[in-house]
Amino acid sequence: MKTIEIIISPGSESRVETKGFAGSACRDASRFLELALGKATSESLTAEFHEAYTHDQNHLEQEK
């Protein structure tokens, strides 16, 4: 299940967390929120992002 959570702290800082997305699909899915909320100050990539990236690289190498 794909979800996007928006966490807003009492100090008005916001954080966007995506779950269930493979690879860079999380960036595509949350881009509209980042644009609406303002400039991003940091980014933490999840294990799902890296696992999908590694899988894609292995898949491409096998196709060559």
Side-chain angles (χ1 to χ4, degrees):
M1 180 171 155
K2 296 176 182 176
T3 61
I4 299 174
E5 293 180 7
I6 304 167
I7 298 104
I8 300 175
S9 72
S12 301
E13 293 179 355
S14 59
R15 185 174 74 223
V16 176
E17 291 184 5
T18 59
K19 296 178 183 175
F21 291 90
S24 63
C26 58
R27 286 180 172 155
D28 295 336
S30 64
R31 183 170 293 126
F32 75 100
L33 290 170
E34 291 178 17
L35 292 173
L37 294 171
K39 184 178 177 182
T41 56
S42 66
E43 179 180 48
S44 297
L45 301 175
T46 65
E48 290 174 327
F49 179 89
H50 295 291
E51 286 175 8
Y53 181 72
T54 302
H55 174 74
D56 289 345
Q57 279 186 326
N58 290 338
H59 182 70
L60 290 174
E61 289 177 8
Q62 291 176 357
E63 289 181 352
K64 290 181 181 179

